[in-house]
């Protein structure tokens, strides 16, 4: 085993652990905004670690291009998805703690 193999294994294990933690957060957190945080931040980092592990296993420019594109698109789409989920929760009448806001009450 080379140092690149060990680094790739470490990145892959850490990425898998972060993806698991993000999944647990999606199930355990009570409010939409907290779930949104769990769905975006650790998930994007875990995917980047897995992509880095893939590149460390085969460090060529031919491998780096598609992996870099996947990483960039993941960052862009996760941000847009988080914005849309937060906006839908706000417009749907959900407060920050996950409870519904009664009709007629002003939102902060």
């Amino acid at each position: 085993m080379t140092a690149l193999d060990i680094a790739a294994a470490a990145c892959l294990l850490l990425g898998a652990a972060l993806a698991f933690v993000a999944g647990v957060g999606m199930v355990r957190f009570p409010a939409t905004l907290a779930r949104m945080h769990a769905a975006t931040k650790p998930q994007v980092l875990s995917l980047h670690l897995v992509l880095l592990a893939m590149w460390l296993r085969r460090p060529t420019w031919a491998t780096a291009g598609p992996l870099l594109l996947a990483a960039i698109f993941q960052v862009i789409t996760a941000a847009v998805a988080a914005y849309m989920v937060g906006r839908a929760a706000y417009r749907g009448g959900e407060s920050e703690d996950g409870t519904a806001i009664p009709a007629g009450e002003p939102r902060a």
Side-chain angles (χ1 to χ4, degrees), residues 8-92:
C11 286
L12 188 62
L13 289 174
L14 187 59
L18 278 172
F20 177 74
V21 168
V24 169
M26 288 287 295
V27 173
R28 301 278 309 205
F29 286 155
T32 301
L33 296 179
R35 282 190 214 119
M36 181 178 66
H37 175 78
T40 54
K41 301 220 188 267
Q43 189 63 36
V44 169
L45 181 58
S46 69
L47 179 79
H48 285 163
L49 285 171
V50 169
L51 293 174
L52 178 62
M54 291 171 66
W55 182 76
L56 288 173
R57 285 290 293 149
R58 190 170 299 203
T60 63
W61 287 109
T63 306
L67 296 177
L68 187 61
L69 281 175
I72 290 169
F73 286 134
Q74 176 66 27
V75 168
I76 292 170
T77 58
V80 170
Y83 171 77
M84 295 305 290
V85 168
R87 184 173 181 219
Y90 178 76
R91 285 186 159 198

